[in-house]
Structures are given as C-alpha cells and as structure tokens.
Amino acid sequence: MEPTPRRVQILLDAGKVRRVGERLRARQSLLLGILGGLGAGLVAAFLWAVIVGMTGLQYELDWLPMIGLGFLVGVSVRACGRGMDRRFAFAAALIALVMGLLGSFFSTALATTGQGVGGNLGEILYRHGNAAIPLRLFLANWGWPDGLALTLTVIEAYFLARFRLAPSQIASLAPRGALPPC
C-alpha cells in the first residue's frame, strides 16, 4: 500500500513576495508583448498561406497551422512582454483571432483563386482592384471546422500568454526553515 501524498502548506514571506511582485511588474511591457505577438502571428499566417498556396492542401492542413499560430502568438507575447496580468492574455487572444482569420483568408484565396476563377491572387487583385473575389471565396469556404480551429487557437494563445512563476520560484519566497525536509 502506497502512502497517500500529503499537501504541503508553504508560508510565504510577505516582504519577499511584495519585492518579487514589484520586480516582475516593473519588467513587464504590454507594447513589447503585442509587437512580439504580431510579429509571430504575421510570420505564421504568411508561412501558412505560402505552404497552402504551393501545395494546394488547404483542407488537409487547415486546422494544424491555426493551432501552431496560436502557440506561437501566445509564447511570443509571454516571452516578449513578460506579463502577469490578464491584459497580456487578452492581447494574445485578439492577435491570434485576427491572424488566424488573416491566415485562413490568404490560404483560401491562394488555394482557390487559380481554380476556376482564372489567375493567381496577385492577378485578380490587380485586375479588379479589391479583395472582393477572394473574400467571397473565403466566406463560401468557411465552415464549422474552421470556426472550431479558430476557437481553439484563441484559447491556446490566451492560456500561453501569461507569465507564471515556477514552483521553485514560489518555494524560494518561503522563509528559511518553512519547508519540510524531503
């Protein structure tokens, strides 16, 4: 019979917690987090559209790039912004939503404009002067799997964007002798 694990209550030193919190808040930057998330989102959306445009595998690869995009945006906002507040998570979710729609739009446009419409995306935009045809194609091809993948992308970016303390960092906030020996 294995012993059941017992909960260990750690009493934290209030002064240390306050100093660490002030130090962490001083180095967080929402602007850097947003810029990092936008950069990662644009790169991911561009690569997604280029790969789909080159291979034509739009429906086979539709959900996977969105999940990767959400991961990149969330981790970039956390790494660049070092934020502990919810505003970093909301910013990452909004960036993932916009970049997911943008990547889906361009991948749909690149995969379908040459099929029955005549020409590639650049030629169509040049001839017509607007994005009406690719937008109509995007809306016609959008379905519930795309919405589900986009929802998962936004949730993933939200949860990955906030900086959290590791258990070892939390344990370092306890006064000496407060932790039971292992």
Side-chain angles (χ1 to χ4, degrees):
M1 179 180 269
E2 293 182 26
T4 58
R6 57 179 197 166
R7 289 189 167 182
V8 178
Q9 184 176 2
I10 300 175
L11 301 174
L12 301 179
D13 184 0
K16 281 185 182 180
V17 171
R18 187 176 55 254
R19 286 190 301 273
V20 168
E22 289 170 358
R23 190 179 74 222
L24 291 174
R25 279 189 205 89
R27 68 178 196 171
Q28 67 184 6
S29 171
L30 184 60
L31 179 62
L32 287 177
I34 290 172
L35 291 176
L38 283 173
L42 283 172
V43 167
F46 175 75
L47 286 176
W48 173 14
V50 166
I51 290 170
V52 167
M54 290 174 56
T55 63
L57 298 174
Q58 176 193 6
Y59 301 108
E60 291 83 0
L61 295 175
D62 209 17
W63 62 272
L64 188 59
M66 267 199 210
I67 301 300
L69 185 139
F71 176 80
L72 287 175
V73 168
V75 168
S76 296
V77 168
R78 181 178 63 203
C80 295
R82 296 182 177 254
M84 299 178 67
D85 304 335
R86 279 198 182 132
R87 58 190 175 142
F88 289 89
F90 287 126
L94 182 63
I95 292 169
L97 175 69
V98 171
M99 293 301 148
L101 288 171
L102 188 69
S104 184
F105 169 74
F106 280 119
S107 68
T108 301
L110 287 174
T112 57
T113 52
Q115 302 170 4
V117 179
N120 62 27
L121 179 61
E123 292 173 3
I124 291 171
L125 291 176
Y126 179 73
R127 275 190 297 187
H128 298 285
N130 63 17
I133 292 175
L135 183 60
R136 278 188 256 143
L137 289 170
F138 168 70
L139 293 174
N141 288 320
W142 183 266
W144 70 265
D146 299 311
L148 178 63
L150 187 61
T151 302
L152 293 174
T153 300
V154 169
I155 291 170
E156 178 184 29
Y158 178 86
F159 283 109
L160 288 175
R162 288 177 58 194
F163 176 77
R164 291 175 183 85
L165 291 177
S168 61
Q169 292 171 316
I170 294 172
S172 70
L173 297 174
R176 296 199 184 268
L179 296 177
C182 294

